[in-house]
Amino acid sequence: MADEMVSLAQRFVNTTYSNGAKLGISKLSEDGVPGWNTMYALTRALQYEMGITSLSDSFGPTTLSTLTTKYGKLDATTMPSAALCRIIQSALYCKGYDGGVIDGTYNSRVQAAVVKLNQDMGLSATYPGSSLWPKVVKGLLTMDAYVTTPQGSSAIRSIQQWLNGRYIQRRDFYAMPCDGHHSRDVAKSMLLAVQYELGMADGTATGVFGPGTQSGLRSHTVSSGTTGTWAQLFTAAMILNRRSVAFGSFTAEVRAAVESFQSFSKLPVTGLGDFQTWASLLVSYGDQTRKGTACDGVTKITPARAQALKSAGYQYIGRYLFNPSTTSLPEKQIQPGELATIKEYGLRCFPIFQTTSRSADYFTHAQGASDAFRAIEWARHHGFKPGTIIYFAVDYDAVDGEVGQYILPHFRSVAQTLYESSKYGVGVYGPRNVCQRVADAGYATASFVSDMSSGFSGNLGYPLPSNWAFDQIATITVGSGSGFIEIDNNIVSGRDTGQGDFDAGAYTDGLDTDLNKAAYRDPMLTDVRNYLTSIGVPETGGEGWTPDKDWVTLGGISTTNAFDFVLTADWLFTSLARELRLRKALIQAPVLWELRKLNPLDFAADEAVRRGLDDDCSTGWGQIFAWVAIKARNYCVQQGIINGPVLPEGDLRPVWDALQETSYNIRTAAYLTVYNAHQLGIARPTPTTSLADTQALLARYNGTTAEAQQYGRELIGLYNVLEHYNLLSRSA
């Protein structure tokens, strides 16, 4: 929401500093909305007024030391200039405090605002009065909030204020937000606090959970009856891990909560604030010397390695279904005979699926479906039985906004595809926040937590996910000689025990592959256009369309348009063809044809259904009626081809709406092909289905009339063109 005084603050910067030129920035937008650009500009203005020549967005050591050396503190007696005072007044407004009239006077309104700011930061005891101390100025020139923000916890805010008040005068401790939310800053501040209480000097205390901190905590077990600072730090850590305890002393209620936390985290249930419990509360990986019973790795499990792992107490092994690289980590993918070795030695395997998945832009709805289809195929190839949970990787530091925008839609698609097309379960591998949010959305039944990446923003400030199955805490080595292997050591919750027996692998030889677009796109399009032209379907127009009409405006689709649409979904056609063990041209041909034949009457029919004027019409890429989709899908459910409930035949609108989504529509076209074989009384289509049966299936897509027979005769030619290039791609 725009604020008039924030607009005046932005105008002050623009007016005073030549629209930002003196500060090395662009002119600020005077929109009245506080944001980082405004705070950066005010930070640079402060540096400018103090005589710092190398200006920066960062309020770093030079800015802090200069402010400390020159003024010590800022108030009515020390304020060096009206311009610097206006910077403070502007910053106060951007923080939501009353900064006066931005007139360069450190007046009573400014002083009252500073008193309130110090109180909100938890610093009123350390910094009484209305003076602004350097570290407070540093906090003022950020977007950090010092009041509870939406969904914030008053208990966490009290801890933030307590930490600020107790440690603000230590060299490397800076005012953290007091917004009621656990965060990276809070996690680091907790570690600094522990180190200060252990007696570490400034410079030695760095906020890193190193050997000195670990050694010190081993001698600071807290238990029932403990009071004072150590009890406060421990209860604070419990609260920050979302355990409902009172901040302060170690009471009987705290002990009960500790026992619950230890049980959940698979720690020894002692009821004590011992080292392992401290470690699990303070850093995501906890005590890295803990002995896990699960591991994962990128190395083949040979008999010697299997024996070494079993002797070391390991029971569960995470291995990768697929490796997209043909050169990097040659044993990352499960190797031939490896699962038999795992079974022979009484071990169990849980599968992981990862291609790249190391940046936000990888994660899309379409990629989720593609990954799911590929994971299903590879799981079947390796022989994983129904019920296996497959862990799909999010292998980067996804910030919370990216989780909502990219990762959740991706996993929604993964879950939909796995549920409909297999009897495998969805797991997620990633930082804590990613795992919990995917679980909360209902898209994963179990989490494999990448807790070794303790610096990830998705691990800092987040508790273990409620559905965690494996907790990855350290990279170690096991065995020697031929049994030597490097693994990631994982703690096990028991929610997933992997698989100890495996089916014979499913064949994939002779199935369609993704089209080699670089080699075949252009000649394939030429042949499609030539064929359609030969049967009276030119590049544009036809059936009442005239070349001089604006076919795009009227809703027409050119041959090239239709072809390119189909090619954009080649991954889906390929996946469905491989899943159903048939030729993808059998799905492509009718979809391409129906796209090319779209006309204004089709769009009018769609609009009539949307307005409730009609119950059903053929719709979407494949021009499928809802009643037909219901029959085809129900048949495939009954045959065990797809999972899901039988759809009520009279409830057309939900299915018609679903057919508007391209993936659902194309899937339905594929299932319709299988259903049509049943309708015709012929064998289910396979890669070796005869041309006569293929033509019959294509005709049945259009119905049972004479026009449908003509439809089949026209489409078999299109099928042959598409199959020619699909054959070239799978033979390459």
Side-chain angles (χ1 to χ4, degrees), residues 144-202:
D144 292 345
Y146 299 107
V147 295
T148 307
T149 56
Q151 286 78 55
S153 157
S154 58
I156 290 178
R157 181 170 185 254
S158 295
I159 291 167
Q160 293 168 321
Q161 291 175 313
W162 177 75
L163 289 167
N164 281 345
R166 186 172 180 84
Y167 302 109
I168 192 64
Q169 292 183 318
R170 295 299 297 257
R171 190 190 76 183
D172 298 317
F173 192 99
Y174 302 103
M176 75 179 80
C178 296
D179 55 3
H181 295 274
H182 199 358
S183 65
R184 177 189 297 271
D185 287 340
V186 179
K188 182 176 180 180
S189 296
M190 279 292 295
L191 280 169
L192 283 169
V194 166
Q195 292 169 337
Y196 295 147
E197 297 302 333
L198 289 173
M200 292 186 185
D202 290 339

Short mmCIF file of all heavy atoms in Angstrom, two decimals, residues 144-202:
data_model
loop_
_atom_site.label_atom_id
_atom_site.label_comp_id
_atom_site.label_asym_id
_atom_site.label_seq_id
_atom_site.Cartn_x
_atom_site.Cartn_y
_atom_site.Cartn_z
N ASP A 144 13.98 -5.38 7.20
CA ASP A 144 13.60 -6.22 8.34
C ASP A 144 12.48 -5.57 9.13
O ASP A 144 12.46 -4.34 9.31
CB ASP A 144 14.80 -6.44 9.27
CG ASP A 144 15.89 -7.29 8.64
OD1 ASP A 144 15.60 -7.93 7.62
OD2 ASP A 144 17.02 -7.29 9.16
N ALA A 145 11.56 -6.39 9.61
CA ALA A 145 10.45 -5.89 10.42
C ALA A 145 10.77 -6.11 11.89
O ALA A 145 11.37 -7.12 12.27
CB ALA A 145 9.16 -6.60 10.04
N TYR A 146 10.34 -5.19 12.73
CA TYR A 146 10.53 -5.31 14.18
C TYR A 146 9.20 -5.39 14.92
O TYR A 146 9.14 -5.24 16.13
CB TYR A 146 11.39 -4.14 14.68
CG TYR A 146 12.75 -4.17 14.02
CD1 TYR A 146 13.10 -3.24 13.05
CD2 TYR A 146 13.66 -5.17 14.31
CE1 TYR A 146 14.33 -3.29 12.41
CE2 TYR A 146 14.89 -5.24 13.68
CZ TYR A 146 15.21 -4.30 12.72
OH TYR A 146 16.43 -4.37 12.08
N VAL A 147 8.16 -5.68 14.15
CA VAL A 147 6.85 -5.99 14.72
C VAL A 147 6.42 -7.33 14.12
O VAL A 147 6.92 -7.74 13.07
CB VAL A 147 5.81 -4.90 14.40
CG1 VAL A 147 6.19 -3.59 15.07
CG2 VAL A 147 5.64 -4.71 12.90
N THR A 148 5.53 -8.00 14.79
CA THR A 148 5.08 -9.31 14.32
C THR A 148 4.35 -9.16 12.98
O THR A 148 3.43 -8.36 12.85
CB THR A 148 4.14 -9.96 15.34
OG1 THR A 148 4.78 -9.99 16.62
CG2 THR A 148 3.80 -11.38 14.93
N THR A 149 4.79 -9.91 12.01
CA THR A 149 4.18 -9.87 10.68
C THR A 149 3.21 -11.05 10.54
O THR A 149 3.19 -11.94 11.39
CB THR A 149 5.26 -9.92 9.59
OG1 THR A 149 6.07 -11.07 9.78
CG2 THR A 149 6.15 -8.67 9.65
N PRO A 150 2.37 -11.07 9.49
CA PRO A 150 1.37 -12.14 9.36
C PRO A 150 1.95 -13.54 9.52
O PRO A 150 3.04 -13.84 9.00
CB PRO A 150 0.82 -11.91 7.94
CG PRO A 150 0.94 -10.44 7.74
CD PRO A 150 2.22 -10.06 8.43
N GLN A 151 1.25 -14.37 10.25
CA GLN A 151 1.64 -15.74 10.59
C GLN A 151 2.86 -15.79 11.51
O GLN A 151 3.43 -16.87 11.74
CB GLN A 151 1.91 -16.60 9.35
CG GLN A 151 0.65 -17.03 8.59
CD GLN A 151 0.07 -15.93 7.74
OE1 GLN A 151 0.77 -15.36 6.89
NE2 GLN A 151 -1.19 -15.62 7.94
N GLY A 152 3.29 -14.64 12.01
CA GLY A 152 4.42 -14.63 12.94
C GLY A 152 3.99 -15.09 14.33
O GLY A 152 2.82 -15.02 14.70
N SER A 153 4.97 -15.54 15.11
CA SER A 153 4.73 -16.05 16.45
C SER A 153 5.20 -15.04 17.49
O SER A 153 6.34 -14.56 17.43
CB SER A 153 5.47 -17.38 16.63
OG SER A 153 5.70 -17.66 17.99
N SER A 154 4.36 -14.74 18.46
CA SER A 154 4.76 -13.82 19.52
C SER A 154 5.87 -14.44 20.36
O SER A 154 6.75 -13.72 20.87
CB SER A 154 3.56 -13.47 20.40
OG SER A 154 2.98 -14.64 20.97
N ALA A 155 5.86 -15.77 20.50
CA ALA A 155 6.92 -16.44 21.27
C ALA A 155 8.26 -16.28 20.57
O ALA A 155 9.29 -16.01 21.21
CB ALA A 155 6.57 -17.91 21.46
N ILE A 156 8.27 -16.46 19.25
CA ILE A 156 9.52 -16.31 18.50
C ILE A 156 9.96 -14.85 18.53
O ILE A 156 11.16 -14.56 18.68
CB ILE A 156 9.34 -16.82 17.06
CG1 ILE A 156 9.19 -18.34 17.06
CG2 ILE A 156 10.54 -16.41 16.19
CD1 ILE A 156 8.96 -18.95 15.70
N ARG A 157 9.03 -13.92 18.44
CA ARG A 157 9.40 -12.50 18.51
C ARG A 157 10.05 -12.18 19.85
O ARG A 157 11.05 -11.43 19.91
CB ARG A 157 8.18 -11.61 18.30
CG ARG A 157 8.54 -10.12 18.33
CD ARG A 157 7.38 -9.24 17.88
NE ARG A 157 7.81 -7.85 17.81
CZ ARG A 157 7.47 -6.91 18.69
NH1 ARG A 157 6.67 -7.21 19.71
NH2 ARG A 157 7.91 -5.67 18.55
N SER A 158 9.55 -12.74 20.93
CA SER A 158 10.15 -12.50 22.25
C SER A 158 11.59 -13.02 22.29
O SER A 158 12.47 -12.39 22.89
CB SER A 158 9.31 -13.18 23.34
OG SER A 158 8.04 -12.59 23.43
N ILE A 159 11.82 -14.16 21.65
CA ILE A 159 13.19 -14.71 21.59
C ILE A 159 14.09 -13.80 20.78
O ILE A 159 15.24 -13.53 21.16
CB ILE A 159 13.14 -16.14 20.99
CG1 ILE A 159 12.45 -17.10 21.97
CG2 ILE A 159 14.55 -16.63 20.65
CD1 ILE A 159 12.07 -18.42 21.34
N GLN A 160 13.59 -13.32 19.66
CA GLN A 160 14.38 -12.40 18.84
C GLN A 160 14.75 -11.14 19.62
O GLN A 160 15.91 -10.69 19.58
CB GLN A 160 13.59 -12.03 17.57
CG GLN A 160 13.38 -13.20 16.62
CD GLN A 160 12.36 -12.90 15.52
OE1 GLN A 160 11.33 -12.26 15.78
NE2 GLN A 160 12.62 -13.36 14.31
N GLN A 161 13.80 -10.59 20.34
CA GLN A 161 14.08 -9.39 21.14
C GLN A 161 15.07 -9.70 22.26
O GLN A 161 15.98 -8.90 22.54
CB GLN A 161 12.77 -8.84 21.72
CG GLN A 161 11.84 -8.24 20.67
CD GLN A 161 10.51 -7.82 21.26
OE1 GLN A 161 9.88 -8.57 22.01
NE2 GLN A 161 10.07 -6.61 20.94
N TRP A 162 14.91 -10.87 22.88
CA TRP A 162 15.83 -11.25 23.97
C TRP A 162 17.26 -11.40 23.45
O TRP A 162 18.21 -10.91 24.08
CB TRP A 162 15.35 -12.56 24.60
CG TRP A 162 16.25 -13.08 25.67
CD1 TRP A 162 16.37 -12.62 26.96
CD2 TRP A 162 17.16 -14.18 25.56
NE1 TRP A 162 17.31 -13.35 27.65
CE2 TRP A 162 17.80 -14.32 26.80
CE3 TRP A 162 17.49 -15.05 24.53
CZ2 TRP A 162 18.77 -15.30 27.05
CZ3 TRP A 162 18.45 -16.03 24.77
CH2 TRP A 162 19.07 -16.14 26.01
N LEU A 163 17.41 -12.05 22.32
CA LEU A 163 18.74 -12.21 21.75
C LEU A 163 19.35 -10.87 21.39
O LEU A 163 20.53 -10.61 21.68
CB LEU A 163 18.67 -13.11 20.51
CG LEU A 163 18.39 -14.59 20.75
CD1 LEU A 163 18.02 -15.29 19.44
CD2 LEU A 163 19.59 -15.29 21.39
N ASN A 164 18.56 -9.99 20.76
CA ASN A 164 19.07 -8.66 20.43
C ASN A 164 19.54 -7.93 21.68
O ASN A 164 20.65 -7.36 21.71
CB ASN A 164 17.98 -7.84 19.73
CG ASN A 164 17.83 -8.19 18.26
OD1 ASN A 164 18.69 -8.83 17.67
ND2 ASN A 164 16.72 -7.75 17.68
N GLY A 165 18.69 -7.91 22.69
CA GLY A 165 19.03 -7.16 23.90
C GLY A 165 20.24 -7.70 24.62
O GLY A 165 21.03 -6.93 25.19
N ARG A 166 20.41 -9.01 24.60
CA ARG A 166 21.51 -9.61 25.37
C ARG A 166 22.85 -9.52 24.65
O ARG A 166 23.90 -9.39 25.29
CB ARG A 166 21.18 -11.07 25.68
CG ARG A 166 22.21 -11.75 26.60
CD ARG A 166 21.75 -13.11 27.05
NE ARG A 166 22.76 -13.72 27.91
CZ ARG A 166 22.88 -13.52 29.22
NH1 ARG A 166 22.02 -12.70 29.84
NH2 ARG A 166 23.83 -14.12 29.93
N TYR A 167 22.83 -9.57 23.31
CA TYR A 167 24.11 -9.74 22.60
C TYR A 167 24.44 -8.61 21.62
O TYR A 167 25.46 -8.69 20.93
CB TYR A 167 24.10 -11.08 21.85
CG TYR A 167 23.88 -12.26 22.77
CD1 TYR A 167 22.67 -12.97 22.73
CD2 TYR A 167 24.84 -12.65 23.68
CE1 TYR A 167 22.45 -14.04 23.58
CE2 TYR A 167 24.63 -13.73 24.54
CZ TYR A 167 23.43 -14.41 24.49
OH TYR A 167 23.22 -15.46 25.34
N ILE A 168 23.65 -7.55 21.54
CA ILE A 168 23.86 -6.52 20.53
C ILE A 168 25.22 -5.85 20.64
O ILE A 168 25.77 -5.37 19.64
CB ILE A 168 22.73 -5.46 20.59
CG1 ILE A 168 22.78 -4.54 19.36
CG2 ILE A 168 22.83 -4.65 21.88
CD1 ILE A 168 22.50 -5.23 18.07
N GLN A 169 25.81 -5.85 21.83
CA GLN A 169 27.09 -5.16 22.00
C GLN A 169 28.30 -6.04 21.66
O GLN A 169 29.43 -5.55 21.72
CB GLN A 169 27.20 -4.60 23.41
CG GLN A 169 26.20 -3.47 23.66
CD GLN A 169 26.34 -2.84 25.03
OE1 GLN A 169 26.52 -3.52 26.04
NE2 GLN A 169 26.25 -1.51 25.08
N ARG A 170 28.03 -7.29 21.30
CA ARG A 170 29.14 -8.13 20.82
C ARG A 170 29.47 -7.73 19.38
O ARG A 170 28.58 -7.36 18.59
CB ARG A 170 28.77 -9.61 20.89
CG ARG A 170 28.56 -10.12 22.30
CD ARG A 170 29.81 -10.01 23.17
NE ARG A 170 30.91 -10.81 22.68
CZ ARG A 170 31.28 -11.98 23.22
NH1 ARG A 170 30.63 -12.47 24.28
NH2 ARG A 170 32.30 -12.65 22.74
N ARG A 171 30.72 -7.81 19.02
CA ARG A 171 31.20 -7.25 17.75
C ARG A 171 30.46 -7.76 16.52
O ARG A 171 30.08 -6.99 15.64
CB ARG A 171 32.70 -7.55 17.60
CG ARG A 171 33.34 -6.80 16.43
CD ARG A 171 34.75 -7.31 16.16
NE ARG A 171 34.74 -8.60 15.47
CZ ARG A 171 35.85 -9.28 15.17
NH1 ARG A 171 37.04 -8.80 15.54
NH2 ARG A 171 35.77 -10.42 14.54
N ASP A 172 30.23 -9.07 16.44
CA ASP A 172 29.68 -9.66 15.22
C ASP A 172 28.19 -9.96 15.31
O ASP A 172 27.64 -10.65 14.45
CB ASP A 172 30.43 -10.96 14.89
CG ASP A 172 31.91 -10.69 14.62
OD1 ASP A 172 32.20 -9.71 13.92
OD2 ASP A 172 32.76 -11.45 15.13
N PHE A 173 27.56 -9.43 16.34
CA PHE A 173 26.12 -9.64 16.49
C PHE A 173 25.40 -8.37 16.07
O PHE A 173 25.69 -7.28 16.56
CB PHE A 173 25.77 -9.98 17.96
CG PHE A 173 24.37 -10.48 18.13
CD1 PHE A 173 24.12 -11.83 18.24
CD2 PHE A 173 23.29 -9.61 18.20
CE1 PHE A 173 22.83 -12.31 18.40
CE2 PHE A 173 22.00 -10.07 18.35
CZ PHE A 173 21.77 -11.43 18.46
N TYR A 174 24.45 -8.51 15.15
CA TYR A 174 23.68 -7.37 14.66
C TYR A 174 22.20 -7.60 14.95
O TYR A 174 21.75 -8.73 15.12
CB TYR A 174 23.91 -7.17 13.16
CG TYR A 174 25.36 -6.97 12.83
CD1 TYR A 174 26.11 -8.00 12.27
CD2 TYR A 174 26.00 -5.77 13.11
CE1 TYR A 174 27.45 -7.83 11.98
CE2 TYR A 174 27.34 -5.59 12.82
CZ TYR A 174 28.07 -6.63 12.26
OH TYR A 174 29.40 -6.46 11.99
N ALA A 175 21.46 -6.52 15.01
CA ALA A 175 20.04 -6.61 15.32
C ALA A 175 19.33 -7.46 14.26
O ALA A 175 19.40 -7.15 13.07
CB ALA A 175 19.43 -5.22 15.39
N MET A 176 18.69 -8.51 14.71
CA MET A 176 17.94 -9.37 13.80
C MET A 176 16.50 -8.87 13.72
O MET A 176 16.05 -8.08 14.56
CB MET A 176 17.96 -10.81 14.29
CG MET A 176 17.05 -11.07 15.49
SD MET A 176 17.09 -12.78 16.02
CE MET A 176 18.62 -12.77 16.94
N PRO A 177 15.74 -9.31 12.72
CA PRO A 177 14.32 -8.97 12.68
C PRO A 177 13.61 -9.44 13.95
O PRO A 177 14.03 -10.44 14.57
CB PRO A 177 13.80 -9.72 11.46
CG PRO A 177 15.00 -10.06 10.66
CD PRO A 177 16.14 -10.19 11.61
N CYS A 178 12.57 -8.76 14.33
CA CYS A 178 11.72 -9.19 15.44
C CYS A 178 10.30 -9.32 14.90
O CYS A 178 9.37 -8.64 15.35
CB CYS A 178 11.79 -8.20 16.60
SG CYS A 178 13.43 -8.08 17.34
N ASP A 179 10.17 -10.21 13.91
CA ASP A 179 8.92 -10.35 13.17
C ASP A 179 8.14 -11.60 13.53
O ASP A 179 7.07 -11.87 12.98
CB ASP A 179 9.19 -10.34 11.67
CG ASP A 179 10.20 -11.41 11.25
OD1 ASP A 179 10.64 -12.20 12.11
OD2 ASP A 179 10.56 -11.44 10.05
N GLY A 180 8.71 -12.43 14.44
CA GLY A 180 8.02 -13.64 14.84
C GLY A 180 8.24 -14.83 13.93
O GLY A 180 7.54 -15.84 14.04
N HIS A 181 9.25 -14.75 13.03
CA HIS A 181 9.52 -15.84 12.10
C HIS A 181 10.96 -16.33 12.27
O HIS A 181 11.90 -15.53 12.33
CB HIS A 181 9.33 -15.39 10.65
CG HIS A 181 7.91 -15.04 10.32
ND1 HIS A 181 6.99 -15.96 9.92
CD2 HIS A 181 7.26 -13.84 10.35
CE1 HIS A 181 5.83 -15.37 9.70
NE2 HIS A 181 5.97 -14.07 9.96
N HIS A 182 11.11 -17.66 12.34
CA HIS A 182 12.45 -18.23 12.34
C HIS A 182 13.06 -18.00 10.96
O HIS A 182 12.37 -17.98 9.95
CB HIS A 182 12.37 -19.73 12.63
CG HIS A 182 13.65 -20.33 13.09
ND1 HIS A 182 14.84 -19.62 13.21
CD2 HIS A 182 13.95 -21.61 13.47
CE1 HIS A 182 15.79 -20.43 13.64
NE2 HIS A 182 15.28 -21.64 13.79
N SER A 183 14.38 -17.83 10.92
CA SER A 183 15.03 -17.50 9.65
C SER A 183 16.52 -17.79 9.75
O SER A 183 17.03 -18.20 10.79
CB SER A 183 14.84 -16.01 9.33
OG SER A 183 15.51 -15.21 10.29
N ARG A 184 17.20 -17.56 8.62
CA ARG A 184 18.65 -17.71 8.58
C ARG A 184 19.31 -16.82 9.64
O ARG A 184 20.21 -17.26 10.36
CB ARG A 184 19.16 -17.34 7.19
CG ARG A 184 20.67 -17.39 7.02
CD ARG A 184 21.07 -16.80 5.68
NE ARG A 184 20.54 -17.57 4.58
CZ ARG A 184 21.17 -18.61 4.02
NH1 ARG A 184 22.36 -18.98 4.47
NH2 ARG A 184 20.62 -19.25 3.02
N ASP A 185 18.87 -15.56 9.76
CA ASP A 185 19.46 -14.64 10.74
C ASP A 185 19.28 -15.15 12.16
O ASP A 185 20.19 -15.07 12.99
CB ASP A 185 18.82 -13.25 10.61
CG ASP A 185 19.29 -12.51 9.36
OD1 ASP A 185 20.34 -12.86 8.82
OD2 ASP A 185 18.57 -11.58 8.94
N VAL A 186 18.09 -15.67 12.46
CA VAL A 186 17.83 -16.18 13.80
C VAL A 186 18.69 -17.40 14.08
O VAL A 186 19.26 -17.54 15.18
CB VAL A 186 16.34 -16.50 13.97
CG1 VAL A 186 16.06 -17.06 15.37
CG2 VAL A 186 15.48 -15.27 13.73
N ALA A 187 18.81 -18.29 13.10
CA ALA A 187 19.61 -19.50 13.29
C ALA A 187 21.07 -19.15 13.57
O ALA A 187 21.70 -19.71 14.48
CB ALA A 187 19.51 -20.39 12.06
N LYS A 188 21.62 -18.20 12.82
CA LYS A 188 23.00 -17.80 13.05
C LYS A 188 23.15 -17.10 14.40
O LYS A 188 24.13 -17.31 15.13
CB LYS A 188 23.49 -16.87 11.94
CG LYS A 188 24.95 -16.46 12.12
CD LYS A 188 25.48 -15.61 10.97
CE LYS A 188 26.94 -15.23 11.22
NZ LYS A 188 27.49 -14.41 10.12
N SER A 189 22.16 -16.27 14.75
CA SER A 189 22.21 -15.56 16.02
C SER A 189 22.17 -16.53 17.20
O SER A 189 22.84 -16.32 18.22
CB SER A 189 21.06 -14.57 16.12
OG SER A 189 21.18 -13.57 15.13
N MET A 190 21.41 -17.60 17.07
CA MET A 190 21.37 -18.62 18.13
C MET A 190 22.74 -19.26 18.31
O MET A 190 23.20 -19.48 19.44
CB MET A 190 20.33 -19.68 17.79
CG MET A 190 18.91 -19.27 18.13
SD MET A 190 18.60 -19.14 19.92
CE MET A 190 18.81 -20.85 20.43
N LEU A 191 23.41 -19.56 17.21
CA LEU A 191 24.74 -20.15 17.31
C LEU A 191 25.73 -19.17 17.92
O LEU A 191 26.57 -19.55 18.76
CB LEU A 191 25.23 -20.61 15.94
CG LEU A 191 24.66 -21.95 15.46
CD1 LEU A 191 24.99 -22.19 14.00
CD2 LEU A 191 25.22 -23.08 16.32
N LEU A 192 25.65 -17.91 17.52
CA LEU A 192 26.51 -16.90 18.14
C LEU A 192 26.25 -16.81 19.63
O LEU A 192 27.20 -16.73 20.44
CB LEU A 192 26.29 -15.54 17.48
CG LEU A 192 26.92 -15.32 16.11
CD1 LEU A 192 26.37 -14.04 15.48
CD2 LEU A 192 28.45 -15.24 16.22
N ALA A 193 24.99 -16.84 20.03
CA ALA A 193 24.65 -16.75 21.45
C ALA A 193 25.25 -17.91 22.22
O ALA A 193 25.81 -17.73 23.32
CB ALA A 193 23.13 -16.73 21.61
N VAL A 194 25.13 -19.12 21.67
CA VAL A 194 25.73 -20.29 22.32
C VAL A 194 27.23 -20.11 22.46
O VAL A 194 27.83 -20.38 23.52
CB VAL A 194 25.40 -21.57 21.52
CG1 VAL A 194 26.28 -22.73 21.96
CG2 VAL A 194 23.92 -21.93 21.67
N GLN A 195 27.87 -19.63 21.41
CA GLN A 195 29.32 -19.44 21.45
C GLN A 195 29.72 -18.37 22.45
O GLN A 195 30.72 -18.53 23.17
CB GLN A 195 29.82 -19.10 20.03
CG GLN A 195 29.68 -20.26 19.06
CD GLN A 195 29.90 -19.87 17.61
OE1 GLN A 195 29.75 -18.70 17.23
NE2 GLN A 195 30.24 -20.84 16.77
N TYR A 196 28.95 -17.29 22.54
CA TYR A 196 29.25 -16.26 23.54
C TYR A 196 29.14 -16.83 24.95
O TYR A 196 29.98 -16.55 25.81
CB TYR A 196 28.29 -15.07 23.38
CG TYR A 196 28.44 -14.31 22.08
CD1 TYR A 196 27.32 -13.72 21.47
CD2 TYR A 196 29.67 -14.16 21.44
CE1 TYR A 196 27.43 -13.02 20.28
CE2 TYR A 196 29.78 -13.46 20.25
CZ TYR A 196 28.67 -12.90 19.67
OH TYR A 196 28.78 -12.21 18.49
N GLU A 197 28.10 -17.63 25.19
CA GLU A 197 27.92 -18.19 26.52
C GLU A 197 28.98 -19.24 26.84
O GLU A 197 29.26 -19.50 28.01
CB GLU A 197 26.52 -18.79 26.66
CG GLU A 197 25.39 -17.77 26.54
CD GLU A 197 25.48 -16.63 27.55
OE1 GLU A 197 26.05 -16.84 28.65
OE2 GLU A 197 24.99 -15.52 27.25
N LEU A 198 29.55 -19.83 25.80
CA LEU A 198 30.68 -20.76 26.01
C LEU A 198 31.97 -20.02 26.30
O LEU A 198 32.99 -20.64 26.61
CB LEU A 198 30.87 -21.65 24.78
CG LEU A 198 29.80 -22.72 24.53
CD1 LEU A 198 30.03 -23.40 23.18
CD2 LEU A 198 29.79 -23.76 25.66
N GLY A 199 31.95 -18.70 26.18
CA GLY A 199 33.13 -17.89 26.49
C GLY A 199 34.00 -17.57 25.30
O GLY A 199 35.13 -17.10 25.48
N MET A 200 33.50 -17.80 24.10
CA MET A 200 34.31 -17.50 22.92
C MET A 200 34.43 -15.99 22.72
O MET A 200 33.46 -15.25 22.89
CB MET A 200 33.69 -18.13 21.66
CG MET A 200 33.75 -19.63 21.63
SD MET A 200 33.15 -20.28 20.03
CE MET A 200 33.20 -22.05 20.36
N ALA A 201 35.61 -15.58 22.35
CA ALA A 201 35.87 -14.15 22.13
C ALA A 201 35.34 -13.72 20.77
O ALA A 201 35.11 -14.55 19.88
CB ALA A 201 37.37 -13.88 22.20
N ASP A 202 35.15 -12.41 20.61
CA ASP A 202 34.79 -11.89 19.30
C ASP A 202 35.86 -12.29 18.29
O ASP A 202 37.06 -12.22 18.57
CB ASP A 202 34.69 -10.36 19.35
CG ASP A 202 33.48 -9.89 20.14
OD1 ASP A 202 32.55 -10.68 20.29
OD2 ASP A 202 33.48 -8.73 20.60
#
